[in-house]
Amino acid sequence: MKFRLIIDPTGEEEIIARVQDRSALTDQIEALVLRHAGTDSIAAYTEDDTRMLPFADIECITVIDGKTYAIDTHNQRYRLKRRLYELEEELPGCFIRINKSALANEKRLERFTASFNGAVDAVFQCGYTEYVSRRCFARIRRRFEK
C-alpha cells in the first residue's frame, strides 16, 4: 500500500483513494472525508458570542454537569453542542481519550503528575488539569513508548 499527500495551496482540493476492494476501512475513510469537508475548527459558544475554535487551539474537551466544553490555550471554557463520542470520531488523531468524560490534545499536554494514592493527572500548557483514568493512562503510555 502506498500513501501520497500533496499540499498545493493553489490547486483544488481532491481526495482519491485507489483500492482493490471496498472494505470497512474504505467506508470509514469515505465517511471521514465527507464529514470533515476541509474544516479544522468547530463552533464554540460562550454566554456572549459564537466563534469558530481551531482544533489546534483546543487543549482539552471535557464534560461538566452533562455539557460538553472545550478548554482553549488561554484556559477559557467554550460550550460545544456535540456529544463527546461524536467529537472523538471527528477530531484529528492528536486527540486522545484520557478518561470517560474527557479528550486531550496530546500536542498541548505538558506533563502527567502522579500522587501518592496512584491517581494521575494530565497538566496542559494553559495550566488546566484533568484526571487520567488508569485504563486510559496505560493506553497513553503504550502510545508514547512507540
Side-chain angles (χ1 to χ4, degrees):
M1 180 184 301
K2 296 182 201 176
F3 176 78
R4 186 169 63 163
L5 176 66
I6 301 169
I7 299 174
D8 181 7
T10 61
E12 181 183 359
E13 286 190 352
E14 177 183 32
I15 297 175
I16 298 173
R18 187 173 298 135
V19 297
Q20 294 174 344
D21 288 316
R22 181 173 279 279
S23 66
L25 177 62
T26 59
D27 293 340
Q28 289 175 348
I29 291 170
E30 182 180 22
L32 177 67
V33 168
L34 294 175
R35 185 174 55 242
H36 183 61
T39 60
D40 62 348
S41 59
I42 191 165
Y45 305 88
T46 62
E47 291 180 11
D48 302 330
D49 64 342
T50 303
R51 69 175 279 208
M52 293 305 288
L53 187 63
F55 294 151
D57 289 350
I58 298 173
E59 300 224 347
C60 182
I61 297 175
T62 187
V63 177
I64 302 169
D65 295 329
K67 296 178 181 165
T68 309
Y69 292 94
I71 312 297
D72 77 350
T73 55
H74 302 291
N75 205 5
Q76 287 192 287
R77 191 182 294 176
Y78 294 91
R79 174 88 161 86
L80 304 177
K81 294 188 176 178
R82 294 248 200 62
R83 299 270 185 204
L84 199 62
Y85 71 90
E86 295 171 333
L87 293 167
E88 189 173 22
E89 292 174 2
E90 182 179 322
L91 291 167
C94 63
F95 283 86
I96 55 177
R97 186 170 286 275
I98 58 173
N99 63 44
K100 189 171 82 171
S101 60
L103 298 171
N105 184 346
E106 71 180 358
K107 294 178 182 177
R108 305 292 304 168
L109 275 170
E110 188 171 286
R111 68 183 183 277
F112 293 101
T113 59
S115 62
F116 291 113
N117 65 359
V120 177
D121 288 332
V123 180
F124 295 89
Q125 293 175 7
C126 70
Y128 181 74
T129 307
E130 182 70 45
Y131 166 75
V132 180
S133 71
R134 286 184 286 171
R135 178 181 294 154
C136 291
F137 187 67
R139 192 177 316 125
I140 292 167
R141 191 171 52 218
R142 282 194 303 270
R143 181 176 175 146
F144 284 125
E145 288 174 353
K146 289 183 181 179

